[in-house]
Amino acid sequence: MTKYAFPPAEPVSLAITGTSSRFPVRRIYCIGKNYADHVKEMGGDAARSEPIFFTKAAETIVESGANIPFPPNTSDLHYEVELVVAIGPDLNVFGYGVGIDLTRRDLQSVAKKKGGPWARAKNFHHSAPCSDLTPADEVDLSKARIVLRKNGDIVQHGALSDMIWGVSEIIDRLSQDMDLQAGDLIYTGTPAGVGPVRIGDELSGGVEGLSRITVRFV
Ligand code: MN
């Protein structure tokens, strides 16, 4: 047995629908610019180009129902609703969830101008809300739509089939850089309609067939 200088942290985990066991989260990968209508709204070229990847720490996960303290160092916090793919043993897709890739857009704009990393814009406390996971063999997402409501009003909607890079292509690409491991999550990009969140707002994201993610900002 390895002797540690202090006890290692318990893994962050997510509930799995229909079972009392939990999904231990290992790492969080995210893909940017994966829906043409969102690429256009951000002022980019929607032609298929190399996918953009970035990461968040596992500790940024927030479960559905949480009240999120409004993050520091931003006056332009944005929502991005996304399908989340959960990787199981042997690189199989274990299940799916609905996530919100919270983004400090003001910090991201500065980083883009300076050609600097997006880390502070994307990876901060509470930046990765995610729903309970639904086992992959219990759902067919081929025709599913993804929707985000802010205070009850639809602000983002799209078809998962509109993703520029599909789930298996994303897994292929990520696997060229890293050995994906059981417990990894992939946030697969957001459709058009991203926008700001303020204290008091409620966000609720859904994909047909999956559990919802609902969070409030306090
Ligand atoms: Mn995103």
Side-chain angles (χ1 to χ4, degrees):
M1 276 262 293
T2 306
K3 187 173 179 238
Y4 295 105
F6 50 86
E10 281 281 304
V12 173
S13 63
L14 285 167
I16 303 164
T17 58
T19 166
S20 60
S21 58
R22 292 179 65 85
F23 181 88
V25 178
R26 184 164 177 151
R27 297 169 296 195
I28 303 175
Y29 294 99
C30 307
I31 181 168
K33 301 187 177 177
N34 202 25
Y35 289 78
D37 57 356
H38 172 62
V39 175
K40 279 185 208 142
E41 78 176 344
M42 299 301 285
D45 176 358
R48 184 173 161 116
S49 55
E50 289 300 293
I52 289 175
F53 290 109
F54 58 93
T55 62
K56 297 188 187 228
E59 289 77 9
T60 61
I61 288 284
V62 176
E63 290 195 84
S64 193
N67 289 325
I68 297 180
F70 196 85
N73 300 322
T74 185
S75 52
D76 197 20
L77 181 71
H78 272 208
Y79 50 76
E80 300 186 355
V81 71
E82 313 203 354
L83 174 72
V84 177
V85 177
I87 303 295
D90 304 320
L91 269 193
N92 289 315
V93 175
F94 177 92
Y96 298 99
V98 186
I100 304 173
D101 167 20
L102 290 174
T103 302
R104 296 194 288 201
R105 194 72 73 199
D106 38 5
L107 299 190
Q108 188 190 35
S109 299
V110 171
K112 281 180 176 175
K113 275 191 202 113
K114 290 186 174 170
W118 291 8
R120 284 190 71 218
K122 291 289 194 178
N123 185 29
F124 52 93
H125 209 31
H126 305 119
S127 64
C130 189
S131 71
D132 295 358
L133 300 177
T134 299
D137 57 3
E138 292 177 15
V139 67
D140 173 10
L141 296 179
S142 55
K143 295 196 173 80
R145 295 188 64 81
I146 184 166
V147 173
L148 185 73
R149 290 175 181 271
K150 182 168 90 167
N151 304 324
D153 298 327
I154 292 177
V155 287
Q156 285 193 275
H157 59 92
L160 295 181
S161 57
D162 286 343
M163 288 198 291
I164 297 170
W165 297 89
V167 170
S168 56
E169 288 177 307
I170 294 171
I171 291 172
D172 266 5
R173 285 301 179 118
L174 276 172
S175 299
Q176 293 172 18
D177 294 337
M178 293 290 297
D179 281 330
L180 285 177
Q181 302 280 350
D184 289 342
L185 296 178
I186 307 169
Y187 282 60
T188 57
T190 196
V194 301
V197 189
R198 297 192 209 297
I199 289 173
D201 285 344
E202 179 187 271
L203 298 178
S204 187
V207 167
E208 290 150 359
L210 303 183
S211 295
R212 299 191 70 80
I213 175 70
T214 302
V215 292
R216 277 166 217 86
F217 292 82
V218 297

